Amino acid sequence: MLPILAQAQTPSLTLADVIAQALDHSAVGQQAVTTRETSYWTWRGYRANYRPQLGLQGTLPNFSRVITPVVQPDGTTNFRPVRINNSDLGLTLSQNVGLTGGQVYVGSVVQRFDDFNGDLRRYNNQPFAIGFTQPLGQFNGLRWAQRIEPLRYQESQRQYVEERETIAQRVTELYFDLLLQQVNADVARQNAQATAELLRVGQERYRLGRLSQSDLLQLELNLLDAQQAQTQAQLDAQNAAVDLQAYTGLAGSEAPALAVPAPAPAPAVPPTQALAQARQNRSATLAFRRRLLQAERDVAQARGTTGLQASLTANLGYVNQAENLGNTYLNLQNQQQLRLTFVVPLMDWGRQRAIVKTAQLTRDQTQRAVAQEERSFEQAVLAQAGQLAALGQQLRLAGRADSLAQRRYDITRATYLVGRLSLTDLSLASNAKDGAKRGYIFALRACWVAHFRLRALTLYDFENQAPIIAAR
């Protein structure tokens, strides 16, 4: 049963309206969308590293007109004017190999040399070449990225949903902050009107000798207090409206009128089910795995960049040179290249061991931190799910107390007007009425905040029994 206030108001905005406004138009809502788009394009960039890359490179033109020293047959140096152009153009198709960290490529390169002083032109053409480059014993960043980046992308998608649920939770808090102040302002207005009416009745009773001067003065003081409370409540409502409008992006210079929401959905949620859904849906689960993998990757990187560094490069193809481009395709000659380069540290005074040990200790620290955060996360989910039943019971009791307090006040006021109760009894009934009304709003706020907090913690809609997924 909703309190009398909820039935008497004709509000223009509901909680769902304000949440939708915040998600679609607020700065925090747009920031969540931007973060999600950034993660998507980062994922696209990662995927592109494992797909063939086609590139055109060259130097065209490469003209030079200088005087350069030329060593003569007798060992002397003569300075000769040189006017040449040495251009090249190549097309390469390459493919990274994530499993090994190497690269395979197919390419074609043509070079042209012009000596304008000697009226000489030569072409060097490599129409086809295939080769590969393979690091040996080094850190394979591509392989580790294949394990980490998919987790990071899935984590970002879940984070987007969590951010939206967190925004809904924050909007709910601000919504009820304003609603409570509006309730206070409405109660203060009603109290001021009722106190003014009581003062008018009291003045008539005083003239008839049926009310003491002390009680009359108390009625006047009550009216002043009620008017001050009304003014303060209006100021508090305006400040709360500013906070809500700033966060949600609601337009307008006046405070919006808010509806008292119906009780939040209260399906039975076993804590074990909530924990199972949280482990399955939350980004934290992926983040824990990602952080552990990153710690292991850092250890592998420390080992792969401090010991033996070797690289094997090989290619084969066809090549020829001639005075014109067409002739370079005739009588092509085989070309093979094989090269192994390496660096072996012979004495580093413990540098390699220190780097690896530091990475290992950092990994161990990350494992302990993740384990602790996992326990805290599980406890938060279990505690939140376990509170729902108690919050629902508290809301039902608060609603009942609000109805009873309102009825008691109406009866007490009517009894006071006929002179059968004291002013103190009326004041106590009025305070109880106001406190019960505020208590109902507080209980309603707690239920709605807990509702959205559990959704954010589990990414699961227990009302509809379905996971909460990101809208495309």
Side-chain angles (χ1 to χ4, degrees):
M1 177 179 177
L2 294 179
I4 294 176
L5 176 65
Q7 300 170 0
Q9 283 188 337
T10 55
S12 58
L13 282 179
T14 65
L15 177 59
D17 294 334
V18 181
I19 290 176
Q21 164 70 25
L23 293 177
D24 295 336
H25 303 290
S26 69
V28 288
Q30 294 301 315
Q31 183 178 359
V33 173
T34 302
T35 302
R36 182 192 184 194
E37 291 296 317
T38 302
S39 300
Y40 169 75
W41 287 107
T42 301
W43 167 255
R44 286 282 301 270
Y46 151 76
R47 292 285 300 277
N49 291 331
Y50 299 86
R51 294 177 177 174
Q53 307 291 317
L54 181 63
L56 180 67
Q57 65 276 348
T59 305
L60 185 68
N62 184 16
F63 176 77
S64 177
R65 181 175 183 177
V66 297
I67 295 178
T68 185
V70 178
V71 179
Q72 302 299 305
D74 59 359
T76 61
T77 299
N78 192 12
F79 294 94
R80 297 287 184 88
V82 176
R83 189 161 60 98
I84 62 174
N85 179 64
N86 192 3
S87 302
D88 63 84
L89 187 65
L91 184 68
T92 303
L93 179 66
S94 61
Q95 172 68 60
N96 291 326
V97 182
L99 183 63
T100 64
Q103 185 183 76
V104 178
Y105 64 89
V106 176
S108 177
V109 180
V110 60
Q111 294 176 289
R112 171 174 165 170
F113 175 78
D114 293 280
D115 183 352
F116 298 104
N117 290 336
D119 194 19
L120 175 67
R121 175 181 299 169
R122 303 292 296 181
Y123 288 91
N124 184 43
N125 189 8
Q126 188 178 28
F128 175 79
I130 183 172
F132 70 91
T133 301
Q134 177 59 56
L136 301 176
Q138 298 186 34
F139 171 69
N140 185 355
L142 292 173
R143 188 174 182 181
W144 280 100
Q146 284 181 317
R147 302 175 64 185
I148 293 174
E149 292 306 321
L151 289 177
R152 192 193 304 275
Y153 178 66
Q154 295 176 41
E155 180 186 348
S156 69
Q157 298 304 297
R158 296 183 184 183
Q159 282 178 339
Y160 171 72
V161 183
E162 292 170 20
E163 288 173 4
R164 288 175 64 87
E165 295 300 322
T166 302
I167 290 171
Q169 177 185 332
R170 181 55 183 156
V171 170
T172 301
E173 294 171 348
L174 294 173
Y175 183 96
F176 277 98
D177 289 345
L178 174 56
L179 180 61
L180 178 62
Q181 298 304 329
Q182 290 183 345
V183 168
N184 287 338
D186 188 66
V187 168
R189 177 186 58 79
Q190 294 177 8
N191 289 342
Q193 293 175 352
T195 305
E197 177 62 20
L198 290 174
L199 178 59
R200 185 189 63 79
V201 174
Q203 289 172 342
E204 293 179 359
R205 295 174 63 184
Y206 177 74
R207 284 193 295 271
L208 296 175
R210 298 171 57 188
L211 186 70
S212 67
Q213 186 177 16
S214 176
D215 286 345
L216 180 62
L217 292 175
Q218 185 61 51
L219 286 173
E220 291 179 356
L221 287 174
N222 289 349
L223 178 59
L224 292 176
D225 290 342
Q227 290 173 341
Q228 290 178 347
Q230 181 181 4
T231 302
Q232 184 61 49
Q234 291 173 346
L235 292 175
D236 292 341
Q238 291 175 358
N239 292 333
V242 169
D243 293 339
L244 179 65
Q245 289 172 323
Y247 188 83
T248 62
L250 283 172
S253 57
E254 297 183 358
L258 303 181
V260 178
V269 181
T272 53
Q273 181 189 3
L275 181 58
Q277 292 298 335
R279 287 172 173 167
Q280 181 176 345
N281 303 324
R282 275 276 293 189
S283 67
T285 304
L286 297 177
F288 295 149
R289 291 168 53 193
R290 173 183 56 79
R291 289 167 57 188
L292 293 175
L293 280 174
Q294 286 177 327
E296 294 290 349
R297 178 202 61 188
D298 292 343
V299 174
Q301 186 173 12
R303 288 171 174 164
T305 56
T306 53
L308 170 66
Q309 302 292 299
S311 180
L312 178 64
T313 302
N315 68 73
L316 57 89
Y318 298 95
V319 65
N320 197 8
Q321 60 85 27
E323 295 183 357
N324 60 74
L325 183 60
N327 290 339
T328 60
Y329 289 94
L330 304 176
N331 300 321
L332 292 172
Q333 302 177 29
N334 291 329
Q335 174 180 283
Q336 301 90 26
Q337 290 182 328
L338 180 65
R339 180 176 59 190
L340 175 65
T341 60
F342 63 89
V343 175
V344 181
L346 299 179
M347 181 179 295
D348 63 0
W349 306 101
R351 174 179 175 273
Q352 176 182 349
R353 184 169 180 270
I355 292 176
V356 173
K357 190 64 176 179
T358 300
Q360 290 174 337
L361 291 175
T362 302
R363 176 198 58 192
D364 296 342
Q365 184 177 9
T366 300
Q367 290 173 343
R368 289 190 291 268
V370 167
Q372 177 60 40
E373 292 175 22
E374 245 182 327
R375 288 191 294 268
S376 300
F377 169 72
E378 292 175 357
Q379 291 171 359
V381 174
L382 292 173
Q384 190 65 41
Q387 292 176 1
L388 291 183
L391 290 174
Q393 178 66 13
Q394 187 179 45
L395 178 61
R396 287 188 292 271
L397 295 175
R400 179 63 176 164
D402 180 43
S403 299
L404 293 176
Q406 182 66 48
R407 289 174 57 191
R408 179 200 172 200
Y409 170 76
D410 294 339
I411 294 172
T412 303
R413 184 173 183 275
T415 307
Y416 171 79
L417 291 176
V418 297
R420 296 173 58 187
L421 285 176
S422 67
L423 182 60
T424 301
D425 294 328
L426 180 60
S427 298
L428 291 175
S430 178
N431 293 336
K433 169 184 68 72
D434 297 346
K437 202 172 296 295
R438 296 187 186 97
Y440 178 81
I441 299 300
F442 276 121
L444 192 62
R445 179 187 193 274
C447 286
W448 273 106
V449 171
H451 168 73
F452 284 112
R453 177 165 173 74
L454 185 62
R455 284 169 58 98
L457 282 173
T458 62
L459 290 192
Y460 192 79
D461 184 354
F462 290 95
E463 183 182 9
N464 298 313
Q465 295 295 308
I468 304 172
I469 59 176
R472 295 296 178 184

